[in-house]
Amino acid sequence: MLRKILIVSLYFLSSCSNAKQNPIIENYQLGQKVNTPNNTKVVLVGGCFDVLHYGHIQFLEKAKAEGNYLIVALEPDESISRYKKRTPIHTQQQRAQNLAAIRYVDKVLLLPPLKGYKDYNQLVRDVHPNIIAITADDPQKENKLKQANLVGADLKVVVDRLKGFSSTKIIGRRAGCNS
């Protein structure tokens, strides 16, 4: 009897602990509702996060502070090749694992190649966030404001872009090294 009580007590304590559960890495399909825990303030961010750096961590921390469940919509490798005009350093799966290791991230959505504004609108509908978090100089700021309005979310600028922290500069520095 004592053993059963101990087992039940341990189960109860582990299920009620405040320890963060492992982030979920999930393949996203256009038109698929994204599940989130009930009664949470969901924050959505998006990006490539190819060469993870201090600026990214600051952005994710500030984004998470706006709510209590942070979802990262992670662009596919094709998007890095197309928009950044270079081959990704890390695959989408590797980038997802890097993001999942960050304590602020609750879910990483592996995006398929999305084709323009209409597909990104659908993504926002499927996630239905309370907040869309961006950097001050986000080139898609106007589009993201429209998408936030589509679902009744707020668009929040959570950080200015930090000077000296960019994946492109980091890659350039690496290319200049002889090691």
Side-chain angles (χ1 to χ4, degrees), residues 81-116:
S81 298
R82 186 171 52 249
Y83 297 120
K84 301 202 180 243
K85 308 289 187 229
R86 65 173 174 78
T87 303
I89 302 297
H90 298 99
T91 66
Q92 186 185 41
Q93 188 63 46
Q94 290 168 336
R95 291 181 282 126
Q97 289 175 358
N98 288 343
L99 286 163
I102 298 169
R103 69 177 177 223
Y104 312 114
V105 176
D106 296 295
K107 183 179 283 197
V108 179
L109 293 179
L110 301 174
L111 299 181
L114 298 178
K115 297 173 180 74

Side-chain angles (χ1 to χ4, degrees), residues 5-177:
I5 291 170
L6 180 60
I7 290 170
V8 169
S9 297
L10 288 173
Y11 173 78
F12 179 78
L13 286 173
S14 68
S15 66
C16 293
S17 76
N18 289 329
K20 179 185 176 210
Q21 295 195 2
N22 290 335
I24 298 166
I25 298 174
E26 192 174 279
N27 287 310
Y28 168 74
Q29 298 297 318
L30 204 56
Q32 157 197 326
K33 183 184 178 334
V34 175
N35 293 320
T36 57
N38 292 331
N39 303 317
T40 56
K41 190 172 184 182
V42 176
V43 180
L44 175 65
V45 301
C48 296
F49 300 95
D50 188 27
V51 178
L52 204 55
H53 55 71
Y54 180 76
H56 289 135
I57 303 300
Q58 292 302 299
F59 172 63
L60 294 169
E61 178 184 20
K62 302 290 192 236
K64 175 67 178 244
E66 293 294 330
N68 51 16
Y69 194 81
L70 180 62
I71 297 177
V72 179
L74 186 61
E75 293 289 347
D77 298 341
E78 295 87 349
S79 293
I80 294 173
S81 298
R82 186 171 52 249
Y83 297 120
K84 301 202 180 243
K85 308 289 187 229
R86 65 173 174 78
T87 303
I89 302 297
H90 298 99
T91 66
Q92 186 185 41
Q93 188 63 46
Q94 290 168 336
R95 291 181 282 126
Q97 289 175 358
N98 288 343
L99 286 163
I102 298 169
R103 69 177 177 223
Y104 312 114
V105 176
D106 296 295
K107 183 179 283 197
V108 179
L109 293 179
L110 301 174
L111 299 181
L114 298 178
K115 297 173 180 74
Y117 182 69
K118 186 176 176 182
D119 284 359
Y120 284 96
N121 283 353
Q122 185 62 52
L123 166 67
V124 172
R125 277 192 210 100
D126 294 339
V127 173
H128 208 279
N130 302 94
I131 307 273
I132 297 175
I134 61 171
T135 58
D137 64 345
D138 188 315
Q140 294 295 320
K141 186 176 185 176
E142 291 305 314
N143 286 336
K144 290 179 181 180
L145 178 59
K146 291 175 189 173
Q147 291 161 343
N149 290 335
L150 215 109
V151 297
D154 292 322
L155 183 72
K156 297 260 180 149
V157 174
V158 295
V159 292
D160 291 324
R161 189 170 301 266
L162 297 175
K163 301 274 189 247
F165 292 98
S166 100
S167 299
T168 303
K169 286 182 181 179
I170 292 168
I171 293 166
R173 282 187 211 137
R174 192 183 97 187
C177 291

